[in-house]
């Protein structure tokens, strides 16, 4: 089944404790992206990647890191989480060859930073 | 600057009634427009998309949307709402090249019996 898989789905952590949210897709998509969803703000892009070893900042990259060492994986790293990073996070992928921007989403990871 | 506006934060409709969710966009080039639906606890699922051609597009679950360039709008419609349609709906604009998608703030739909 074609899918985007995120882990963990739920996480409660404390300020400053490094964490990684993993994202993996099995559709051989070139493009992957991370979004955060906050009430009243919709989805805002954190980082995106056009292909392996190619990443770039989105609209709200502060406090986050990403890497793209393999085509299927695009982990989101919070080196020193803070309470304002409490949010619902979505990973998405897209086949760039089609070049339409249609996104395939994971089920989301709800992060709480205390 | 590019933007997507969904004027209604939430809408309540009766089951069986018609539905229209509004979306306005701002973009200087030809837009790629999407509607996604998010059910509680789920990720976003594509309902329909507009790239070019026919301005009335059909999607899944009985939804349709009409692109109106003169009004910079892409409103979502359904003739008869079912209780299972209760969810949050997002309008989105993909910029050229597909590397960036801008989302509206979302409209939460409540369906009453």
């Amino acid at each position: 089944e074609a899918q985007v898989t995120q882990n963990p789905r739920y996480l409660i952590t404390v300020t400053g404790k490094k964490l990684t949210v993993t994202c993996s897709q099995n559709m051989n998509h070139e493009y992957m992206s991370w979004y955060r969803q906050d009430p009243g703000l919709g989805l805002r892009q954190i980082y995106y990647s056009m292909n392996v070893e190619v990443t770039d900042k989105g609209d709200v990259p502060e406090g986050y890191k990403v890497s793209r060492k393999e085509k299927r994986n695009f982990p989101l790293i919070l080196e020193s989480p803070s309470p304002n990073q409490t949010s619902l996070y979505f990973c998405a992928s897209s086949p760039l060859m089609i070049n339409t921007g249609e996104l395939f989403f994971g089920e989301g990871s709800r992060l709480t930073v205390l | 600057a590019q933007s997507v506006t969904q004027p209604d934060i939430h809408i309540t409709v009766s089951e069986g009634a018609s539905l229209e969710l509004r979306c306005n966009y701002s973009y200087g080039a030809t837009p790629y427009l999407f509607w996604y639906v998010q059910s509680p606890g789920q990720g976003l699922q594509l309902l329909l998309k507009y790239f070019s051609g026919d301005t009335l597009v059909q999607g899944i679950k009985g939804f349709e949307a009409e692109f109106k360039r003169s009004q910079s709008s892409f409103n979502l419609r359904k003739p008869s709402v079912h209780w299972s349609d209760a969810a949050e709906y997002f309008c989105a604009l993909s910029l050229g090249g597909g590397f960036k998608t801008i989302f509206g703030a979302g409209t939460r739909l409540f369906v009453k019996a």
Side-chain angles (χ1 to χ4, degrees):
Chain A
E1 178 188 356
Q3 59 186 359
V4 178
T5 303
Q6 297 178 225
N7 281 296
R9 294 286 313 279
Y10 301 91
L11 179 63
I12 301 174
T13 190
V14 296
T15 298
K17 185 176 182 180
K18 180 179 178 180
L19 68 91
T20 299
V21 186
T22 64
C23 175
S24 181
Q25 51 94 4
N26 62 1
M27 295 170 279
N28 201 37
H29 288 169
E30 295 83 7
Y31 178 88
M32 298 185 74
S33 183
W34 277 102
Y35 297 86
R36 60 178 288 172
Q37 182 183 8
D38 301 292
L41 297 177
L43 279 76
R44 294 178 293 167
Q45 189 177 44
I46 303 171
Y47 270 94
Y48 65 93
S49 171
M50 305 288 275
N51 214 324
V52 175
E53 302 291 1
V54 181
T55 63
D56 207 348
K57 297 177 181 179
D59 297 316
V60 288
E62 296 77 19
Y64 305 94
K65 286 177 55 178
V66 293
S67 68
R68 187 93 180 272
K69 299 189 187 308
E70 302 169 284
K71 195 172 186 178
R72 64 183 293 125
N73 296 323
F74 191 45
L76 179 70
I77 303 159
L78 285 74
E79 292 271 4
S80 182
S82 62
N84 65 11
Q85 293 178 296
T86 292
S87 188
L88 179 59
Y89 292 86
F90 286 102
C91 180
S93 70
S94 180
L96 270 181
M97 291 294 290
I98 299 180
N99 201 32
T100 62
E102 177 180 344
L103 294 166
F104 296 80
F105 284 87
E107 292 190 314
S109 297
R110 184 168 293 282
L111 170 65
T112 301
V113 183
L114 302 175
Chain B
Q2 305 90 357
S3 66
V4 176
T5 302
Q6 294 180 246
D8 304 303
I9 297 173
H10 54 80
I11 283 181
T12 301
V13 299
S14 299
E15 191 169 18
S18 63
L19 169 71
E20 182 169 31
L21 301 182
R22 296 182 292 164
C23 173
N24 293 97
Y25 70 92
S26 173
Y27 186 49
T30 300
Y32 291 168
L33 293 162
F34 306 83
W35 277 98
Y36 291 89
V37 59
Q38 183 183 26
S39 299
Q42 301 293 315
L44 280 75
Q45 179 185 20
L46 181 69
L47 278 178
L48 48 77
K49 56 193 175 188
Y50 170 79
F51 301 146
S52 64
D54 196 347
T55 56
L56 185 64
V57 294
Q58 303 296 321
I60 62 171
K61 305 185 181 186
F63 285 92
E64 66 178 26
E66 186 171 13
F67 171 68
K68 293 185 177 180
R69 186 183 297 276
S70 62
Q71 299 178 19
S72 297
S73 69
F74 188 56
N75 294 347
L76 181 71
R77 301 195 294 246
K78 187 170 184 178
S80 178
V81 169
H82 187 262
W83 65 266
S84 60
D85 293 324
E88 188 153 23
Y89 292 80
F90 292 93
C91 182
L93 165 69
S94 175
L95 307 184
F99 67 92
K100 185 170 179 65
T101 299
I102 298 173
F103 288 84
T107 298
R108 182 166 294 278
L109 173 65
F110 297 95
V111 180
K112 59 182 181 180

